[in-house]
């Protein structure tokens, strides 16, 4: 089981509505312009199989049974994701352990996290990852911060994914969520830790403690444009 080993001061999730963002997801589950229509996971799989969706024209993902348009990404987001994958691949010496912006198969959702770190026993993976295959799931958040903190967090907790990171480019920190509570209403994580510039993020994988410097992950301030 993956877990965060260091112990920053902040260890409890923020209360609902406490964030200062204007993202619709921070206000609750109010439908917004990004939501297209409701569909089952089986219907979604069938439509993908028959080539109905063109991700180049309308980038979408299925979240809690609703087709949702993906958020746009600026260069800071792209740079951060590239750097994070390089760092993790160097730690593991196994590039096939990481998936970037690929779908994972959950009960009512097929999100496409920015990065997924697979368990060793899942390899070689010849299908879409399911919760038993996943050690860490990561979202890089800029315009998507509200969605990542609310809807995506709820989805990943409901799937009992053990560790969820938000690389928060708005506030220049890494948020690490652990101890999923899938039975809570809504599903959530019991613990949240904040890792700032100058700190490290340490997690356990396959019995090894792996450490990354926050400053090595977050992009330079002038790369966001």
């Amino acid at each position: 089981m993956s877990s965060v080993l260091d112990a920053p001061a902040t260890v409890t999730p923020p209360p609902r509505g406490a964030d200062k963002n204007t993202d619709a997801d921070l206000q609750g589950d109010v439908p917004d312009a990004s939501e297209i229509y409701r569909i089952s996971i089986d219907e979604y799989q069938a439509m993908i199989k028959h080539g109905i969706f063109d991700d180049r024209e309308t980038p979408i993902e299925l979240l809690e049974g609703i087709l949702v348009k993906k958020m746009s990404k600026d260069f800071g987001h792209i740079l951060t994701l590239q750097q994070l994958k390089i760092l993790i691949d160097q730690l593991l010496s196994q590039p096939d352990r990481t998936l970037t912006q690929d779908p994972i198969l959950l009960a009512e959702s097929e999100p496409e996290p920015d990065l997924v770190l697979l368990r060793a026993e899942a390899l070689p993976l010849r299908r879409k990852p399911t919760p038993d295959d996943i050690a860490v799931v990561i979202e890089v958040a800029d315009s998507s911060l509200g969605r990542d903190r609310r809807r995506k967090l709820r989805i990943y907790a409901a799937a009992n994914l053990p560790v969820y990171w938000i690389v928060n480019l708005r506030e220049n920190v890494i948020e690490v969520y652990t101890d999923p509570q899938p039975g809570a209403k809504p599903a959530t994580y019991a613990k949240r830790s904040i890792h700032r510039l100058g700190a490290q993020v340490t997690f356990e994988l396959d019995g090894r403690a792996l450490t990354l410097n926050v400053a090595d992950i977050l992009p330079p301030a002038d790369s966001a444009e």
Side-chain angles (χ1 to χ4, degrees):
M1 179 70 70
S2 300
S3 61
V4 176
L5 301 182
D6 49 348
T10 306
V11 294
T12 56
R16 184 177 294 276
D19 304 299
K20 297 180 180 180
N21 305 288
T22 59
D23 219 278
D25 279 353
L26 291 180
Q27 310 307 319
D29 297 323
V30 179
D32 59 37
S34 70
E35 297 189 1
I36 302 174
Y37 54 85
R38 185 171 293 277
I39 189 173
S40 73
I41 191 80
D42 290 338
E43 290 170 329
Y44 184 64
Q45 294 283 338
M47 294 171 82
I48 291 175
K49 182 178 180 180
H50 289 88
I52 292 174
F53 299 128
D54 186 342
D55 202 56
R56 294 168 299 179
E57 294 182 0
T58 308
I60 59 171
E61 55 188 342
L62 185 69
L63 303 180
E64 298 177 312
I66 300 173
L67 286 180
V68 178
K69 293 179 182 177
K70 297 178 190 175
M71 299 285 194
S72 60
K73 303 174 178 65
D74 64 21
F75 184 67
H77 183 291
I78 295 168
L79 180 65
T80 300
L81 180 56
Q82 290 176 340
Q83 178 66 6
L84 183 56
K85 177 171 171 52
I86 290 170
L87 291 169
I88 292 179
D89 287 347
Q90 288 174 341
L91 280 178
L92 299 177
S93 300
Q94 290 180 283
D96 58 347
R97 294 288 294 274
T98 54
L99 302 176
T100 54
Q101 298 179 338
D102 291 321
I104 61 176
L105 187 58
L106 310 179
E108 294 184 319
S109 303
E110 194 170 307
E112 300 182 12
D114 284 311
L115 194 143
V116 169
L117 179 53
L118 298 171
R119 299 180 186 277
E121 54 267 31
L123 302 177
L125 192 67
R126 305 190 186 283
R127 51 173 171 73
K128 292 177 182 178
T130 59
D132 288 342
D133 303 317
I134 297 170
V136 182
V137 61
I138 301 172
E139 298 285 2
V140 178
D142 35 36
S143 62
S144 66
L145 182 59
R147 181 180 293 177
D148 294 334
R149 278 181 170 170
R150 290 294 186 268
R151 177 172 278 171
K152 289 285 187 75
L153 183 147
R154 185 172 64 240
I155 289 169
Y156 297 146
N160 206 32
L161 301 187
V163 180
Y164 172 39
W165 293 14
I166 298 176
V167 181
N168 180 346
L169 301 184
R170 287 191 187 177
E171 300 167 8
N172 227 31
V173 299
I174 297 176
E175 305 174 16
V176 177
Y177 297 84
T178 56
D179 193 6
Q181 306 292 306
K185 301 295 182 182
T188 189
Y189 286 86
K191 296 180 181 178
R192 182 181 81 153
S193 56
I194 303 298
H195 305 261
R196 306 181 187 279
L197 289 171
Q200 296 179 321
V201 183
T202 302
F203 60 101
E204 185 177 310
L205 185 70
D206 303 336
R208 296 169 55 198
L210 305 175
T211 299
L212 294 172
N213 295 317
V214 173
D216 291 339
I217 299 170
L218 294 171
D222 59 356
S223 67
E225 297 300 329

